[in-house]
Amino acid sequence: MTESKELSTLIDQSLVLIEQIQKHPDFQAVEYSPDLTLGDAQQALLELHWETLRQSQPSKTFSLEGFTS
């Protein structure tokens, strides 16, 4: 059975791989116009990362007295 990795680690690894793909000469030589791009994939992963961070931290609300948990 494979070891489970933290979601944030998988997201970080995915972002690194997408960047490597974008810089790869074979990828740069490909001429196509997809509906979704690698940049879209990066944005989706960044949003997922922020969502997981938001859910892992206690909720903060703002009042006139300042932030409260």
Side-chain angles (χ1 to χ4, degrees), residues 11 15 38-51:
I11 293 169
L15 289 167
L38 291 177
D40 295 325
Q42 286 173 310
Q43 183 63 37
L45 288 168
L46 289 170
E47 290 177 19
L48 175 60
H49 179 72
W50 284 109
E51 184 65 23

Side-chain angles (χ1 to χ4, degrees), residues 16-29 38:
V16 169
L17 288 171
I18 290 172
E19 186 175 344
Q20 290 175 358
I21 290 169
Q22 287 174 318
K23 292 179 179 179
H24 195 281
D26 290 343
F27 175 76
Q28 293 177 352
L38 291 177

Side-chain angles (χ1 to χ4, degrees), residues 50-60:
W50 284 109
E51 184 65 23
T52 58
L53 286 177
R54 187 178 69 79
Q55 289 182 0
S56 68
Q57 296 177 356
S59 161
K60 302 249 185 214

Side-chain angles (χ1 to χ4, degrees), residues 2-6 10:
T2 60
E3 187 176 311
S4 177
K5 294 185 180 182
E6 292 289 325
L10 293 171

